[in-house]
Amino acid sequence: MYKRIIVALGLEHEHGYKAMEDARQLLSEGGEIVALHVIEPVPGFASNYLPEGHKEEVEASAMAKVRERIGASQHAEAKVLFGHPGRLIPDFAQEVGADCIVVGSHKAGLGDYFLGSTAARVVRHAPCPVHVLR
């Protein structure tokens, strides 16, 4: 059982509810879950064309979706960060002293064979065990 679990939520994938359920089963009594969604940065050339306040709106929307996936759990915190998920998730896990990361994996597409998936990057760089959902 784990005391601090990071659940990496890709809000565009269907793993969120299952990931939270699995994390609750892996959690030891008195432990905590941090449900984390990472928003990838908008390239500089494109960010100039976005309306003012766009970043805040995207963050608020993502936070609402993360909270929805958490549900009524009293042992879970919602967190939204900006950056590259494959590196930021392991770095955040290290920073908060997580002892497990739960992450979903989708069926690999052609781009994943050349670049690798977020789940693969998390597994490669994680400072702790990683529970991967398929």
Side-chain angles (χ1 to χ4, degrees):
M1 301 309 257
Y2 300 102
K3 291 193 178 286
R4 180 168 288 143
I5 300 174
I6 304 297
V7 178
L9 296 173
L11 299 176
E12 62 281 352
H13 301 294
E14 71 281 349
H15 294 299
Y17 298 104
K18 173 79 170 119
M20 289 301 300
E21 179 184 319
D22 284 6
R24 287 184 186 101
Q25 291 177 3
L26 294 168
L27 191 65
S28 61
E29 190 170 329
E32 70 173 331
I33 297 170
V34 178
L36 172 66
H37 176 68
V38 179
I39 299 171
E40 295 199 50
V42 175
F45 68 89
S47 64
N48 294 329
Y49 299 100
L50 297 174
E52 192 171 317
H54 180 266
K55 181 178 178 179
E56 292 78 12
E57 287 178 26
V58 168
E59 183 177 14
S61 174
M63 183 63 83
K65 290 176 183 175
V66 170
R67 286 189 177 123
E68 174 190 320
R69 281 161 179 78
I70 288 174
S73 175
Q74 299 172 9
H75 304 288
E77 171 191 351
K79 189 87 169 160
V80 174
L81 299 175
F82 289 85
H84 298 284
R87 283 299 301 163
L88 189 61
I89 294 166
D91 290 349
F92 180 74
Q94 177 80 36
E95 180 183 315
V96 301
D99 51 2
C100 182
I101 300 170
V102 176
V103 63
S105 178
H106 57 86
K107 292 191 180 199
L110 184 60
D112 292 328
Y113 288 110
F114 294 111
L115 302 172
S117 68
T118 297
R121 287 187 182 109
V122 169
V123 169
R124 230 181 349 263
H125 299 288
C128 58
V130 180
H131 182 82
V132 180
L133 303 173
R134 287 291 277 171

